[in-house]
Amino acid sequence: ICLIIYGVVHLISYLTDCSLASSAIISGAYYKTFISALHQYYRLFTGGFVHVQFFHLLANMLALFSMAKQVEKNYSANKSLIILCLSIVVGNVFLFAFGKNVLAVGISSGIYGLFAALTIAYISKGYFKNPLFRQSYMRVVFINIMISLLPNVSFYGHFGGLVCGLVLGVLFNKENNITKVLKINAAVCGLIIAVFLGYFSYQNRQVIEFYKGEDMSVVQTYQKLGLTKLSYRIYDNLLDYYAGE
């Protein structure tokens, strides 16, 4: 899916001579203005599958491939998919609730969710009793912390995916040392986080900093694609939103 959408992003950009940012927005990238103004909440999910740069796509696909195989061994294919998808959504909700008006792409929040769930599996199986394993694990953690703190990297998205993966990792784990009480506590924690995110998402739903040039570029690109009625509707809704209606 990520490869196909990557191709679509570049194809739209090539055919309409628009920026890759505009093409990514049209292809479903996370973009707070369009989520708030146009109520395009699907972007909280689809944004995870949009990539613009080939290196970003390649790095994420390699990480996803290696991580998913390990998660499937400890959980199942279906549960791994649930962890991945929910971590993408929760990561983008964290970004919506606490981040600025940014364009965000990539499946990194889902990968962080898988990593967190895998960590729970390793803990439950006692892998951390091995000093060599601990050292190797801490190196991976350190590298990922440094990556999350880099400019133009979505710290909130990564953190949200990590939190989601930890909760689901406990809920889905079948090891005996993951007790029923621990699972209940994880479920309660997840519910509290959901309420917390809902409150701050509502409080911070308004966009303060607009990128009107990029927004109009998206509208023009829709027109070039032959979606004239849709472009007019988006244009009118954006003008109303800018005016604070």
Side-chain angles (χ1 to χ4, degrees), residues 86-152:
L86 285 182
S87 296
I88 290 172
V89 173
V90 173
N92 281 329
V93 172
F94 262 86
L95 181 57
F96 184 91
F98 304 109
K100 298 179 180 180
N101 182 27
V102 296
L103 170 65
V105 297
I107 203 168
S108 300
S109 57
I111 294 173
Y112 272 72
L114 293 176
F115 178 73
L118 194 58
T119 299
I120 296 297
Y122 288 158
I123 292 173
S124 67
K125 293 185 175 182
Y127 286 7
F128 285 92
K129 295 177 182 178
N130 186 327
L132 293 178
F133 181 86
R134 287 200 304 270
Q135 291 177 9
S136 176
Y137 177 86
M138 291 310 299
R139 282 196 293 269
V140 173
V141 170
F142 177 78
I143 291 171
N144 280 277
I145 290 175
M146 292 299 100
I147 291 174
S148 296
L149 295 176
L150 289 173
N152 300 320

Side-chain angles (χ1 to χ4, degrees), residues 159-226:
F159 181 74
L162 191 73
V163 169
C164 182
L166 288 174
V167 173
L168 293 179
V170 173
L171 294 177
F172 290 159
N173 198 292
K174 293 184 178 181
E175 296 295 324
N176 293 330
N177 56 349
I178 303 294
T179 64
K180 184 177 180 179
V181 173
L182 184 57
K183 289 189 176 185
I184 292 174
N185 289 337
V188 171
C189 182
L191 182 60
I192 292 172
I193 292 171
V195 172
F196 178 80
L197 283 177
Y199 173 77
F200 280 98
S201 293
Y202 180 78
Q203 291 293 108
N204 300 319
R205 67 191 184 282
Q206 296 297 330
V207 176
I208 299 175
E209 186 178 10
F210 294 109
Y211 301 101
K212 295 183 179 180
E214 193 62 56
D215 295 345
M216 292 304 104
S217 174
V218 173
V219 171
Q220 292 170 4
T221 303
Y222 274 119
Q223 291 177 346
K224 292 178 182 178
L225 291 171

Side-chain angles (χ1 to χ4, degrees), residues 46-64:
T46 59
F49 301 95
V50 180
H51 293 78
V52 174
Q53 301 298 331
F54 179 74
F55 178 76
H56 186 205
L57 173 67
L58 179 63
N60 277 352
M61 291 302 96
L62 291 174
L64 179 61

